Amino acid sequence: MQLKPGMAAEYRRRHDEIWPELAALLRDAGISDYRIFLDPGTGALFATLKLAPDNQRDTLPGHPVMRRWWDHMADIMEVEPGNRPREWPLEPMFHLA
């Protein structure tokens, strides 16, 4: 994901105040240990999370709470039509198990 320039403090503030209904929705969808990291030099955001085997992550884009959160964040991030954050898949380069 990509943060707009100068928006790091606001991004952190909004996530520090994450809506309880959004946190519950993510947990109910089978998401845990969700972390977001920022590269301050580029504004790139990198997220990691754990998914339960029976997760319902694919249903989140249609949920009204998720849509409201995207709308809430659209002014500080690069977004797709409909305000879904722009995402770029990363290519795995190394794994030490």
Side-chain angles (χ1 to χ4, degrees):
M1 297 176 288
Q2 186 66 40
L3 196 57
K4 291 181 180 177
M7 293 293 135
E10 180 62 16
Y11 185 88
R12 181 183 301 272
R13 184 190 70 76
R14 292 183 192 187
H15 281 79
D16 285 348
E17 299 172 1
I18 193 166
W19 306 334
E21 63 268 31
L22 178 59
L25 176 67
L26 296 173
R27 286 186 190 102
D28 291 348
I31 294 173
S32 64
D33 200 18
Y34 190 180
R35 301 167 188 240
I36 302 173
F37 301 88
L38 170 67
D39 176 355
T42 65
L45 296 165
F46 175 79
T48 65
L49 53 87
K50 292 182 181 175
L51 293 172
D54 61 344
N55 77 82
Q56 297 179 17
R57 181 181 185 200
D58 293 342
T59 66
L60 293 174
H63 197 284
V65 172
M66 188 86 266
R67 308 285 304 174
R68 277 195 357 244
W69 181 256
W70 290 349
D71 291 345
H72 177 62
M73 299 299 290
D75 63 321
I76 65 171
M77 301 179 67
E78 290 187 20
V79 296
E80 302 288 350
N83 289 338
R84 183 178 186 146
R86 288 189 67 205
E87 297 177 345
W88 295 267
L90 299 176
E91 181 179 339
M93 299 294 286
F94 175 76
H95 177 226
L96 178 67

Coordinates of all heavy atoms in Angstrom, one line a residue:
M1 N 0.9 -1.2 0.0 CA 0.0 0.0 0.0 C 0.9 1.2 0.0 O 2.1 1.1 0.3 CB -0.9 0.0 1.2 CG -1.9 -1.2 1.3 SD -2.9 -1.3 2.8 CE -1.6 -1.8 4.0
Q2 N 0.3 2.4 -0.3 CA 1.1 3.6 -0.5 C 0.5 4.7 0.3 O -0.7 5.1 0.0 CB 1.3 4.0 -1.9 CG 2.2 5.1 -2.2 CD 3.7 4.8 -1.8 OE1 4.2 3.8 -2.0 NE2 4.3 5.8 -1.2
L3 N 1.2 5.3 1.2 CA 0.8 6.5 2.0 C 1.1 7.8 1.2 O 2.2 7.8 0.6 CB 1.5 6.5 3.3 CG 0.9 7.3 4.4 CD1 -0.6 7.0 4.7 CD2 1.8 7.2 5.7
K4 N 0.2 8.8 1.2 CA 0.5 10.0 0.6 C 1.6 10.8 1.5 O 1.7 10.6 2.7 CB -0.7 10.9 0.5 CG -1.7 10.3 -0.5 CD -2.9 11.2 -0.6 CE -3.9 10.6 -1.6 NZ -5.2 11.4 -1.7
P5 N 2.4 11.6 0.8 CA 3.5 12.3 1.5 C 2.9 13.1 2.7 O 1.9 13.8 2.6 CB 4.1 13.2 0.5 CG 3.8 12.6 -0.8 CD 2.4 11.9 -0.6
G6 N 3.7 13.1 3.8 CA 3.3 13.9 5.0 C 2.2 13.3 5.8 O 1.7 14.0 6.7
M7 N 1.7 12.1 5.6 CA 0.5 11.6 6.2 C 0.8 10.5 7.3 O -0.1 9.9 7.8 CB -0.5 11.0 5.2 CG -1.1 12.1 4.3 SD -2.1 13.1 5.3 CE -1.7 14.7 4.7
A8 N 2.1 10.3 7.6 CA 2.4 9.2 8.5 C 1.8 9.4 9.9 O 1.2 8.4 10.5 CB 3.9 9.1 8.6
A9 N 1.9 10.6 10.5 CA 1.3 10.8 11.8 C -0.2 10.6 11.8 O -0.7 10.1 12.7 CB 1.7 12.2 12.3
E10 N -0.8 11.1 10.8 CA -2.3 10.9 10.7 C -2.7 9.5 10.5 O -3.6 9.0 11.1 CB -2.9 11.8 9.6 CG -4.4 11.7 9.4 CD -5.1 12.2 10.6 OE1 -4.6 12.9 11.5 OE2 -6.3 11.9 10.7
Y11 N -1.9 8.8 9.7 CA -2.2 7.3 9.5 C -2.1 6.6 10.9 O -2.9 5.8 11.2 CB -1.2 6.8 8.5 CG -1.5 5.3 8.1 CD1 -2.3 5.0 7.1 CD2 -0.8 4.3 8.8 CE1 -2.6 3.7 6.7 CE2 -1.0 3.0 8.4 CZ -1.9 2.7 7.4 OH -2.2 1.4 7.1
R12 N -1.0 6.9 11.6 CA -0.8 6.2 12.9 C -2.0 6.6 13.9 O -2.5 5.8 14.5 CB 0.5 6.6 13.5 CG 0.7 6.0 14.9 CD 2.0 6.4 15.5 NE 3.2 6.1 14.7 CZ 3.9 5.0 14.8 NH1 3.5 4.0 15.6 NH2 5.0 4.8 14.0
R13 N -2.3 7.9 13.9 CA -3.4 8.4 14.8 C -4.7 7.6 14.5 O -5.4 7.1 15.4 CB -3.6 9.9 14.6 CG -4.7 10.4 15.6 CD -5.1 11.8 15.3 NE -5.9 11.9 14.1 CZ -7.2 11.6 14.0 NH1 -7.8 11.1 15.0 NH2 -7.8 11.7 12.8
R14 N -5.0 7.5 13.2 CA -6.3 6.8 12.9 C -6.3 5.3 13.2 O -7.3 4.8 13.7 CB -6.6 7.0 11.4 CG -6.9 8.4 11.0 CD -7.3 8.5 9.5 NE -7.3 9.9 9.1 CZ -7.7 10.4 7.9 NH1 -8.1 9.5 7.0 NH2 -7.7 11.6 7.7
H15 N -5.1 4.7 13.1 CA -5.0 3.3 13.5 C -5.0 3.1 15.0 O -5.4 2.1 15.5 CB -3.9 2.6 12.8 CG -4.2 2.2 11.4 ND1 -4.2 3.2 10.3 CD2 -4.6 1.1 10.8 CE1 -4.6 2.6 9.2 NE2 -4.8 1.3 9.5
D16 N -4.4 4.1 15.7 CA -4.4 4.1 17.2 C -5.8 4.1 17.7 O -6.1 3.7 18.8 CB -3.6 5.2 17.7 CG -2.1 5.0 17.6 OD1 -1.6 3.9 17.3 OD2 -1.3 6.0 17.9
E17 N -6.7 4.8 16.9 CA -8.1 4.9 17.3 C -9.0 4.0 16.4 O -10.2 4.4 16.2 CB -8.5 6.4 17.1 CG -7.7 7.3 18.0 CD -8.0 8.8 17.7 OE1 -8.8 9.1 16.8 OE2 -7.3 9.6 18.3
I18 N -8.5 2.9 16.0 CA -9.3 2.0 15.2 C -10.6 1.7 15.8 O -10.8 1.6 17.0 CB -8.5 0.6 14.9 CG1 -9.2 -0.1 13.7 CG2 -8.4 -0.2 16.1 CD1 -8.4 -1.2 13.2
W19 N -11.6 1.7 14.9 CA -13.0 1.5 15.4 C -13.2 0.1 16.0 O -12.7 -0.9 15.4 CB -14.0 1.7 14.3 CG -13.9 2.9 13.5 CD1 -13.4 4.1 13.9 CD2 -14.2 3.1 12.1 NE1 -13.5 5.1 13.0 CE2 -14.0 4.5 11.8 CE3 -14.8 2.3 11.2 CZ2 -14.2 5.0 10.6 CZ3 -15.0 2.9 9.9 CH2 -14.8 4.2 9.6
P20 N -13.8 0.0 17.1 CA -14.0 -1.4 17.7 C -14.7 -2.3 16.8 O -14.4 -3.5 16.7 CB -14.8 -1.1 19.0 CG -14.5 0.3 19.3 CD -14.2 1.0 18.0
E21 N -15.7 -1.8 16.0 CA -16.5 -2.7 15.1 C -15.6 -3.2 14.0 O -15.8 -4.3 13.5 CB -17.7 -2.0 14.6 CG -17.5 -0.7 13.8 CD -17.5 0.6 14.5 OE1 -17.1 0.6 15.7 OE2 -17.9 1.6 14.0
L22 N -14.6 -2.4 13.6 CA -13.7 -2.8 12.5 C -12.7 -3.9 13.1 O -12.5 -4.9 12.4 CB -12.9 -1.7 11.9 CG -11.9 -2.1 10.9 CD1 -12.5 -2.8 9.7 CD2 -11.1 -0.8 10.4
A23 N -12.2 -3.7 14.3 CA -11.3 -4.7 14.9 C -12.1 -6.0 15.1 O -11.5 -7.1 14.8 CB -10.8 -4.2 16.2
A24 N -13.3 -5.9 15.5 CA -14.1 -7.1 15.7 C -14.4 -7.8 14.3 O -14.3 -9.1 14.2 CB -15.4 -6.8 16.4
L25 N -14.6 -7.0 13.3 CA -14.9 -7.6 12.0 C -13.7 -8.3 11.5 O -13.8 -9.5 11.0 CB -15.3 -6.5 11.0 CG -15.5 -6.9 9.6 CD1 -16.7 -7.8 9.4 CD2 -15.6 -5.6 8.7
L26 N -12.5 -7.8 11.6 CA -11.3 -8.4 11.2 C -11.0 -9.7 12.0 O -10.7 -10.7 11.4 CB -10.1 -7.5 11.3 CG -10.1 -6.2 10.5 CD1 -9.0 -5.3 10.8 CD2 -10.1 -6.5 9.0
R27 N -11.2 -9.7 13.3 CA -11.0 -10.9 14.1 C -12.0 -12.0 13.7 O -11.7 -13.1 13.5 CB -11.1 -10.6 15.6 CG -9.9 -9.8 16.1 CD -10.0 -9.7 17.6 NE -9.0 -8.8 18.1 CZ -9.2 -7.5 18.4 NH1 -10.4 -7.0 18.4 NH2 -8.2 -6.7 18.8
D28 N -13.3 -11.6 13.5 CA -14.3 -12.5 13.1 C -14.1 -13.1 11.8 O -14.5 -14.2 11.5 CB -15.7 -11.8 13.2 CG -16.2 -11.5 14.6 OD1 -15.6 -12.0 15.6 OD2 -17.1 -10.7 14.7
A29 N -13.4 -12.4 10.9 CA -13.0 -12.9 9.6 C -11.9 -13.9 9.6 O -11.5 -14.4 8.6 CB -12.8 -11.8 8.6
G30 N -11.3 -14.1 10.8 CA -10.2 -15.0 10.9 C -8.8 -14.4 10.8 O -7.8 -15.0 10.5
I31 N -8.7 -13.0 11.0 CA -7.4 -12.3 11.0 C -6.9 -12.1 12.4 O -7.6 -11.7 13.2 CB -7.6 -11.0 10.2 CG1 -8.0 -11.2 8.8 CG2 -6.4 -10.1 10.3 CD1 -8.3 -10.0 8.0
S32 N -5.6 -12.4 12.5 CA -4.9 -12.1 13.8 C -3.5 -11.7 13.6 O -3.0 -11.7 12.4 CB -4.9 -13.4 14.7 OG -4.2 -14.4 14.1
D33 N -2.9 -11.2 14.6 CA -1.5 -10.7 14.5 C -1.2 -9.8 13.3 O -0.3 -10.0 12.5 CB -0.5 -11.9 14.5 CG 0.9 -11.5 14.9 OD1 1.1 -10.5 15.5 OD2 1.8 -12.3 14.6
Y34 N -2.1 -8.9 13.1 CA -2.1 -7.9 12.0 C -1.1 -6.8 12.3 O -1.3 -6.1 13.3 CB -3.5 -7.4 11.7 CG -3.8 -6.7 10.5 CD1 -5.1 -6.2 10.2 CD2 -2.8 -6.4 9.5 CE1 -5.4 -5.5 9.1 CE2 -3.1 -5.7 8.4 CZ -4.4 -5.3 8.1 OH -4.6 -4.6 7.0
R35 N -0.2 -6.6 11.5 CA 0.8 -5.5 11.6 C 1.0 -4.8 10.3 O 1.0 -5.3 9.3 CB 2.2 -6.1 12.1 CG 2.2 -6.9 13.3 CD 3.4 -7.7 13.5 NE 3.3 -8.6 14.6 CZ 4.1 -8.6 15.7 NH1 5.1 -7.7 15.7 NH2 4.0 -9.4 16.6
I36 N 1.2 -3.5 10.5 CA 1.5 -2.6 9.3 C 2.8 -1.8 9.6 O 2.9 -1.2 10.6 CB 0.3 -1.6 9.0 CG1 -1.0 -2.4 8.8 CG2 0.7 -0.8 7.8 CD1 -2.2 -1.5 8.6
F37 N 3.7 -1.9 8.6 CA 5.0 -1.2 8.7 C 5.1 -0.1 7.7 O 4.5 -0.2 6.6 CB 6.1 -2.2 8.5 CG 6.1 -3.3 9.5 CD1 5.4 -4.5 9.2 CD2 6.8 -3.3 10.7 CE1 5.4 -5.6 10.1 CE2 6.8 -4.3 11.6 CZ 6.1 -5.5 11.3
L38 N 5.8 1.0 8.0 CA 6.0 2.1 7.1 C 7.5 2.2 6.7 O 8.3 2.2 7.6 CB 5.5 3.4 7.8 CG 5.9 4.7 7.0 CD1 5.1 4.8 5.7 CD2 5.6 5.9 7.9
D39 N 7.7 2.4 5.4 CA 9.1 2.8 5.0 C 9.0 4.3 4.9 O 8.4 4.9 4.0 CB 9.4 2.2 3.6 CG 10.7 2.7 3.1 OD1 11.4 3.6 3.7 OD2 11.2 2.2 2.0
P40 N 9.6 5.0 5.9 CA 9.4 6.5 5.9 C 10.0 7.2 4.7 O 9.6 8.3 4.3 CB 10.1 6.9 7.2 CG 10.6 5.7 7.9 CD 10.3 4.5 7.0
G41 N 11.0 6.6 4.1 CA 11.6 7.2 2.9 C 10.7 7.2 1.7 O 10.8 8.1 0.8
T42 N 9.9 6.2 1.5 CA 9.1 6.1 0.3 C 7.6 6.2 0.6 O 6.8 6.4 -0.4 CB 9.3 4.7 -0.3 OG1 8.8 3.7 0.5 CG2 10.8 4.5 -0.6
G43 N 7.1 6.1 1.8 CA 5.7 6.1 2.2 C 5.1 4.7 1.9 O 3.8 4.6 2.0
A44 N 5.9 3.7 1.6 CA 5.3 2.4 1.3 C 4.9 1.8 2.6 O 5.6 1.9 3.6 CB 6.4 1.5 0.6
L45 N 3.7 1.2 2.6 CA 3.2 0.4 3.8 C 3.2 -1.0 3.5 O 2.9 -1.5 2.4 CB 1.7 0.9 4.0 CG 1.5 2.3 4.4 CD1 0.0 2.7 4.3 CD2 2.0 2.6 5.9
F46 N 3.6 -1.8 4.4 CA 3.8 -3.3 4.3 C 3.0 -3.9 5.4 O 3.3 -3.6 6.6 CB 5.2 -3.7 4.3 CG 5.5 -5.2 4.3 CD1 5.4 -5.8 3.1 CD2 5.8 -5.9 5.4 CE1 5.6 -7.2 3.0 CE2 6.0 -7.2 5.4 CZ 5.9 -7.9 4.2
A47 N 2.1 -4.8 5.1 CA 1.2 -5.4 6.1 C 1.5 -6.9 6.2 O 1.7 -7.5 5.2 CB -0.2 -5.2 5.8
T48 N 1.5 -7.4 7.4 CA 1.5 -8.9 7.6 C 0.4 -9.2 8.5 O -0.1 -8.4 9.3 CB 2.8 -9.3 8.3 OG1 2.9 -8.8 9.6 CG2 4.0 -8.9 7.4
L49 N -0.1 -10.4 8.4 CA -1.2 -10.9 9.2 C -1.3 -12.4 9.2 O -0.7 -13.0 8.3 CB -2.6 -10.3 8.8 CG -3.0 -10.5 7.3 CD1 -3.7 -11.7 7.0 CD2 -3.8 -9.3 6.9
K50 N -1.9 -13.0 10.1 CA -2.1 -14.4 10.1 C -3.6 -14.7 9.8 O -4.5 -14.0 10.3 CB -1.8 -15.0 11.5 CG -0.3 -15.0 11.8 CD 0.0 -15.6 13.1 CE 1.5 -15.5 13.4 NZ 1.9 -16.0 14.7
L51 N -3.8 -15.7 9.0 CA -5.2 -16.1 8.6 C -5.5 -17.5 9.2 O -4.8 -18.4 9.1 CB -5.3 -16.1 7.1 CG -5.2 -14.8 6.4 CD1 -5.1 -15.0 4.9 CD2 -6.3 -13.9 6.7
A52 N -6.7 -17.6 9.8 CA -7.2 -18.8 10.3 C -7.5 -19.7 9.1 O -7.8 -19.2 8.0 CB -8.5 -18.6 11.1
P53 N -7.4 -21.0 9.2 CA -7.7 -21.9 8.1 C -9.0 -21.7 7.5 O -9.2 -21.8 6.2 CB -7.6 -23.3 8.7 CG -6.7 -23.2 9.8 CD -7.0 -21.8 10.4
D54 N -10.0 -21.4 8.3 CA -11.4 -21.1 7.8 C -11.7 -19.6 7.6 O -12.9 -19.2 7.7 CB -12.4 -21.8 8.7 CG -12.4 -21.3 10.1 OD1 -11.4 -20.6 10.5 OD2 -13.3 -21.5 10.8
N55 N -10.7 -18.8 7.4 CA -10.9 -17.4 7.3 C -11.9 -16.9 6.2 O -12.1 -17.7 5.3 CB -9.5 -16.7 7.2 CG -9.0 -16.7 5.7 OD1 -9.4 -15.9 4.9 ND2 -8.2 -17.7 5.5
Q56 N -12.4 -15.8 6.4 CA -13.4 -15.2 5.5 C -12.9 -13.8 5.0 O -13.7 -12.9 4.8 CB -14.7 -15.1 6.1 CG -15.3 -16.5 6.5 CD -16.6 -16.4 7.1 OE1 -17.3 -15.4 7.1 NE2 -17.0 -17.5 7.8
R57 N -11.6 -13.7 4.8 CA -11.0 -12.5 4.4 C -11.6 -11.9 3.1 O -11.8 -10.7 2.9 CB -9.5 -12.6 4.2 CG -8.8 -11.4 3.8 CD -7.3 -11.6 3.7 NE -6.6 -10.4 3.4 CZ -5.4 -10.3 2.9 NH1 -4.8 -11.4 2.6 NH2 -4.9 -9.2 2.6
D58 N -11.9 -12.8 2.2 CA -12.5 -12.4 0.9 C -13.8 -11.8 1.0 O -14.2 -11.1 0.0 CB -12.6 -13.6 -0.1 CG -11.2 -14.2 -0.4 OD1 -10.2 -13.4 -0.3 OD2 -11.1 -15.3 -0.9
T59 N -14.5 -11.9 2.1 CA -15.8 -11.3 2.2 C -15.7 -9.8 2.7 O -16.7 -9.1 2.7 CB -16.7 -12.0 3.2 OG1 -16.2 -12.0 4.5 CG2 -16.9 -13.5 2.8
L60 N -14.6 -9.4 3.2 CA -14.4 -8.1 3.8 C -14.7 -6.9 2.9 O -15.4 -5.9 3.3 CB -13.0 -7.9 4.5 CG -12.8 -8.8 5.7 CD1 -11.3 -8.7 6.1 CD2 -13.7 -8.5 6.8
P61 N -14.3 -7.0 1.6 CA -14.6 -5.8 0.8 C -16.0 -5.5 0.6 O -16.4 -4.3 0.3 CB -14.0 -6.2 -0.6 CG -12.9 -7.1 -0.2 CD -13.4 -7.9 1.0
G62 N -16.9 -6.4 0.8 CA -18.4 -6.2 0.7 C -19.0 -5.7 2.0 O -20.2 -5.4 2.0
H63 N -18.3 -5.7 3.1 CA -18.9 -5.4 4.4 C -19.0 -3.8 4.6 O -18.0 -3.1 4.3 CB -18.1 -6.0 5.5 CG -18.8 -6.0 6.8 ND1 -19.0 -4.9 7.6 CD2 -19.5 -7.1 7.4 CE1 -19.7 -5.3 8.6 NE2 -20.0 -6.6 8.6
P64 N -20.1 -3.3 5.0 CA -20.3 -1.9 5.2 C -19.2 -1.2 6.1 O -18.8 -0.1 5.8 CB -21.7 -1.7 5.8 CG -22.4 -3.0 5.4 CD -21.3 -4.0 5.3
V65 N -18.8 -1.9 7.2 CA -17.8 -1.3 8.1 C -16.5 -1.2 7.3 O -15.8 -0.1 7.5 CB -17.6 -2.1 9.4 CG1 -16.5 -1.7 10.2 CG2 -18.9 -2.1 10.2
M66 N -16.1 -2.2 6.5 CA -14.8 -2.1 5.8 C -14.9 -1.0 4.8 O -13.9 -0.2 4.6 CB -14.6 -3.4 5.1 CG -13.3 -3.6 4.4 SD -12.0 -4.1 5.5 CE -11.3 -2.6 6.1
R67 N -16.0 -0.8 4.1 CA -16.2 0.2 3.1 C -16.1 1.6 3.8 O -15.5 2.5 3.2 CB -17.5 0.1 2.4 CG -17.8 -1.3 1.8 CD -17.1 -1.6 0.6 NE -17.3 -0.6 -0.5 CZ -16.7 -0.6 -1.6 NH1 -15.9 -1.6 -1.9 NH2 -16.9 0.3 -2.5
R68 N -16.7 1.8 5.0 CA -16.6 3.1 5.7 C -15.2 3.4 6.0 O -14.7 4.5 6.0 CB -17.5 3.0 6.9 CG -18.9 3.3 6.7 CD -19.7 3.6 7.9 NE -19.0 3.5 9.2 CZ -19.3 2.7 10.2 NH1 -20.3 1.8 10.0 NH2 -18.6 2.6 11.3
W69 N -14.4 2.3 6.5 CA -13.0 2.5 6.8 C -12.2 3.0 5.6 O -11.4 3.9 5.7 CB -12.4 1.2 7.4 CG -11.0 1.4 7.8 CD1 -9.9 0.9 7.2 CD2 -10.5 2.1 9.0 NE1 -8.7 1.3 7.8 CE2 -9.1 2.0 9.0 CE3 -11.1 2.8 10.0 CZ2 -8.2 2.5 9.9 CZ3 -10.3 3.3 11.0 CH2 -8.9 3.2 11.0
W70 N -12.4 2.3 4.5 CA -11.7 2.7 3.3 C -12.0 4.2 2.9 O -11.1 4.9 2.6 CB -12.1 1.8 2.1 CG -11.6 0.4 2.2 CD1 -10.6 -0.1 3.0 CD2 -12.0 -0.6 1.3 NE1 -10.4 -1.4 2.8 CE2 -11.2 -1.8 1.8 CE3 -12.8 -0.8 0.3 CZ2 -11.3 -3.0 1.1 CZ3 -13.0 -2.0 -0.3 CH2 -12.2 -3.1 0.1
D71 N -13.3 4.6 3.0 CA -13.7 6.0 2.8 C -13.0 6.9 3.8 O -12.5 8.0 3.4 CB -15.2 6.2 2.9 CG -16.0 5.5 1.8 OD1 -15.3 5.1 0.7 OD2 -17.2 5.3 1.9
H72 N -12.9 6.5 5.0 CA -12.2 7.3 6.1 C -10.7 7.5 5.8 O -10.1 8.5 6.1 CB -12.4 6.6 7.4 CG -11.8 7.2 8.6 ND1 -12.1 8.4 9.0 CD2 -10.9 6.7 9.4 CE1 -11.4 8.7 10.1 NE2 -10.6 7.7 10.4
M73 N -10.1 6.5 5.1 CA -8.6 6.5 4.9 C -8.3 7.0 3.5 O -7.1 7.3 3.3 CB -8.1 5.1 5.1 CG -8.3 4.5 6.5 SD -7.5 5.5 7.8 CE -5.7 5.1 7.4
A74 N -9.2 7.2 2.6 CA -8.9 7.5 1.2 C -8.2 8.9 1.0 O -7.4 9.0 0.1 CB -10.2 7.6 0.4
D75 N -8.3 9.8 1.9 CA -7.7 11.1 1.7 C -6.2 11.0 2.1 O -5.5 12.0 1.7 CB -8.4 12.2 2.6 CG -8.3 11.9 4.1 OD1 -8.4 10.8 4.5 OD2 -8.1 12.9 4.8
I76 N -5.7 10.0 2.7 CA -4.3 9.9 3.1 C -3.5 8.8 2.4 O -2.3 8.7 2.6 CB -4.1 9.9 4.6 CG1 -4.7 8.6 5.2 CG2 -4.7 11.1 5.2 CD1 -4.3 8.5 6.7
M77 N -4.2 8.0 1.6 CA -3.6 6.9 0.9 C -3.9 6.9 -0.6 O -4.9 7.5 -1.0 CB -4.1 5.6 1.5 CG -3.9 5.4 2.9 SD -4.6 3.8 3.5 CE -3.5 2.6 2.7
E78 N -3.1 6.2 -1.4 CA -3.4 5.9 -2.8 C -4.5 4.9 -2.8 O -4.4 3.8 -2.1 CB -2.2 5.5 -3.6 CG -1.2 6.6 -3.8 CD -0.1 6.2 -4.7 OE1 -0.3 5.3 -5.5 OE2 0.9 6.9 -4.7
V79 N -5.6 5.1 -3.5 CA -6.7 4.2 -3.5 C -7.2 3.8 -4.9 O -6.9 4.6 -5.9 CB -7.9 4.7 -2.7 CG1 -7.5 4.9 -1.2 CG2 -8.4 6.1 -3.2
E80 N -7.9 2.7 -5.0 CA -8.5 2.3 -6.3 C -9.9 3.0 -6.3 O -10.4 3.5 -5.3 CB -8.7 0.8 -6.3 CG -7.4 0.0 -6.2 CD -6.5 0.1 -7.4 OE1 -7.0 0.6 -8.5 OE2 -5.4 -0.3 -7.3
P81 N -10.6 2.9 -7.5 CA -12.0 3.3 -7.5 C -12.8 2.6 -6.4 O -12.5 1.4 -6.1 CB -12.5 2.9 -8.9 CG -11.3 2.9 -9.7 CD -10.2 2.4 -8.8
G82 N -13.6 3.3 -5.6 CA -14.3 2.7 -4.5 C -13.6 2.8 -3.2 O -14.0 2.3 -2.2
N83 N -12.4 3.5 -3.3 CA -11.6 3.8 -2.1 C -10.8 2.6 -1.5 O -10.3 2.7 -0.4 CB -12.3 4.5 -1.1 CG -12.6 6.0 -1.5 OD1 -11.9 6.5 -2.4 ND2 -13.6 6.6 -0.9
R84 N -10.8 1.4 -2.2 CA -10.0 0.3 -1.7 C -8.6 0.7 -1.8 O -8.1 1.2 -2.8 CB -10.3 -0.9 -2.5 CG -9.5 -2.1 -2.0 CD -9.9 -3.4 -2.8 NE -9.2 -4.5 -2.2 CZ -9.7 -5.7 -2.2 NH1 -10.9 -6.0 -2.8 NH2 -9.1 -6.7 -1.7
P85 N -7.7 0.5 -0.7 CA -6.3 0.9 -0.8 C -5.6 0.2 -2.0 O -5.9 -1.0 -2.2 CB -5.7 0.4 0.5 CG -6.9 0.4 1.5 CD -8.1 0.0 0.6
R86 N -4.8 0.9 -2.7 CA -4.0 0.3 -3.8 C -3.0 -0.7 -3.1 O -2.4 -0.3 -2.1 CB -3.3 1.3 -4.6 CG -4.2 2.1 -5.5 CD -3.4 3.0 -6.4 NE -2.7 2.1 -7.4 CZ -1.6 2.5 -8.0 NH1 -1.1 3.7 -7.8 NH2 -1.0 1.7 -8.8
E87 N -2.9 -1.9 -3.6 CA -2.0 -2.9 -3.1 C -1.2 -3.4 -4.3 O -1.6 -3.6 -5.4 CB -2.8 -4.0 -2.5 CG -3.6 -3.7 -1.3 CD -4.4 -4.8 -0.7 OE1 -4.5 -5.8 -1.4 OE2 -4.9 -4.7 0.4
W88 N 0.1 -3.8 -4.0 CA 1.0 -4.4 -4.9 C 1.5 -5.7 -4.3 O 2.1 -5.6 -3.2 CB 2.2 -3.5 -5.2 CG 1.8 -2.2 -5.9 CD1 1.7 -2.0 -7.3 CD2 1.4 -1.0 -5.3 NE1 1.3 -0.7 -7.5 CE2 1.1 -0.1 -6.3 CE3 1.2 -0.6 -4.0 CZ2 0.7 1.2 -6.1 CZ3 0.8 0.7 -3.8 CH2 0.6 1.6 -4.8
P89 N 1.4 -6.8 -4.9 CA 1.9 -8.0 -4.4 C 3.4 -8.0 -4.4 O 4.0 -7.4 -5.3 CB 1.4 -9.1 -5.3 CG 1.0 -8.4 -6.6 CD 0.7 -7.0 -6.2
L90 N 4.0 -8.6 -3.4 CA 5.5 -8.7 -3.3 C 5.9 -10.1 -3.7 O 5.3 -11.0 -3.5 CB 5.9 -8.4 -1.8 CG 5.6 -7.0 -1.3 CD1 6.0 -6.9 0.2 CD2 6.2 -5.9 -2.1
E91 N 7.1 -10.1 -4.3 CA 7.7 -11.4 -4.8 C 8.5 -11.9 -3.7 O 9.5 -11.3 -3.2 CB 8.5 -11.1 -6.0 CG 9.1 -12.4 -6.6 CD 9.9 -12.1 -7.9 OE1 9.7 -11.1 -8.5 OE2 10.7 -13.0 -8.2
P92 N 8.2 -13.1 -3.2 CA 9.1 -13.8 -2.2 C 10.5 -13.9 -2.7 O 10.7 -14.4 -3.8 CB 8.4 -15.1 -1.9 CG 7.0 -15.0 -2.4 CD 7.1 -14.0 -3.5
M93 N 11.5 -13.5 -1.9 CA 12.9 -13.6 -2.4 C 13.7 -14.6 -1.4 O 14.7 -15.1 -1.9 CB 13.5 -12.2 -2.4 CG 12.8 -11.3 -3.3 SD 13.0 -11.8 -5.1 CE 14.7 -11.3 -5.4
F94 N 13.3 -14.7 -0.2 CA 14.1 -15.5 0.7 C 13.2 -15.9 1.9 O 12.3 -15.1 2.4 CB 15.3 -14.7 1.2 CG 16.1 -15.5 2.3 CD1 16.9 -16.5 2.0 CD2 15.9 -15.1 3.6 CE1 17.6 -17.2 2.9 CE2 16.7 -15.7 4.6 CZ 17.5 -16.8 4.3
H95 N 13.4 -17.1 2.4 CA 12.7 -17.6 3.6 C 13.6 -18.5 4.4 O 14.1 -19.5 3.8 CB 11.4 -18.3 3.2 CG 10.7 -18.9 4.4 ND1 10.2 -20.2 4.4 CD2 10.3 -18.4 5.6 CE1 9.6 -20.4 5.5 NE2 9.7 -19.4 6.3
L96 N 13.8 -18.2 5.6 CA 14.6 -19.1 6.5 C 13.6 -19.6 7.5 O 13.1 -18.9 8.3 CB 15.7 -18.3 7.2 CG 16.5 -19.0 8.2 CD1 17.4 -20.1 7.5 CD2 17.4 -18.1 9.0
A97 N 13.4 -20.9 7.5 CA 12.4 -21.6 8.4 C 13.1 -22.1 9.6 O 14.2 -22.3 9.7 CB 11.7 -22.7 7.6

